[in-house]
Amino acid sequence: MDWTAEAIERLKALWAEGHSTAEIGRRMGISKNAVVGKAHRLNLPARPSPIRRDAAPRPVPVPRAPRPMPAARITPPPILRASPMVAPAPAPVAATPVVRAFPVASSRPRLGSRTCCWPIGEPGTSGFRFCGGDPMAGKPYCTEHAALAYVKPRDRREDAA
DNA sequence: CCCTGATTCGC
DNA sequence: GCGAATCAGG
């Protein structure tokens, strides 16, 4: 780029009009880098930069804010009414002896949505979801998860101490 | 992946 | 001095 006085004037004018560097570049047939480089060298008033290369260089920006966690943990995995204190493998949370079937009120599978409501992953984390598989007739869970959810009292008696 | 502007650095 | 490359945030 031949930075003639005219070219510089034009740059200043466009810059003053508030065009983006890329736009100025387009209008002048040069790259935005040329524009921003020249503008910088001319000490034209800097635009609000999207980035921050200095100021507040916080090495540990978030020293672990104790996160407030939604009042109640989600979804204690389900327990059959007739099986006192047998918690299914994943995420045993509430130890209430008798838990009504699915406390899963709040998320994706809406109440009528006929998909398996078995929770997968850690509640509150991005990966958290529900199984979503085909539920067994009359059950909120698919066959695999129903097997985990409903523990037969007989079986329990045998392997429970 | 698109945009933004700033800085770096070989030319 | 120049500007592509690179960075870094939205």
Side-chain angles (χ1 to χ4, degrees), chain A residues 127-146:
Chain A
F128 181 72
R129 61 188 178 86
F130 293 89
C131 168
D134 288 334
M136 296 176 70
K139 298 274 191 298
Y141 309 109
C142 67
T143 52
E144 290 83 355
H145 290 134

Side-chain angles (χ1 to χ4, degrees), chain A residues 65-142:
Chain A
R67 58 169 173 162
M69 283 311 279
R73 307 218 63 132
I74 305 192
T75 318
I79 299 176
L80 182 61
R81 327 165 60 106
S83 53
M85 61 196 296
V86 174
V93 177
T96 316
V98 175
V99 175
R100 247 165 327 139
F102 32 148
V104 193
S106 65
S107 292
R108 240 56 48 77
R110 297 215 256 290
L111 260 54
S113 85
R114 324 243 89 240
T115 59
C116 175
C117 293
W118 188 268
I120 306 290
E122 185 65 18
T125 65
S126 60
F128 181 72
R129 61 188 178 86
F130 293 89
C131 168
D134 288 334
M136 296 176 70
K139 298 274 191 298
Y141 309 109
C142 67

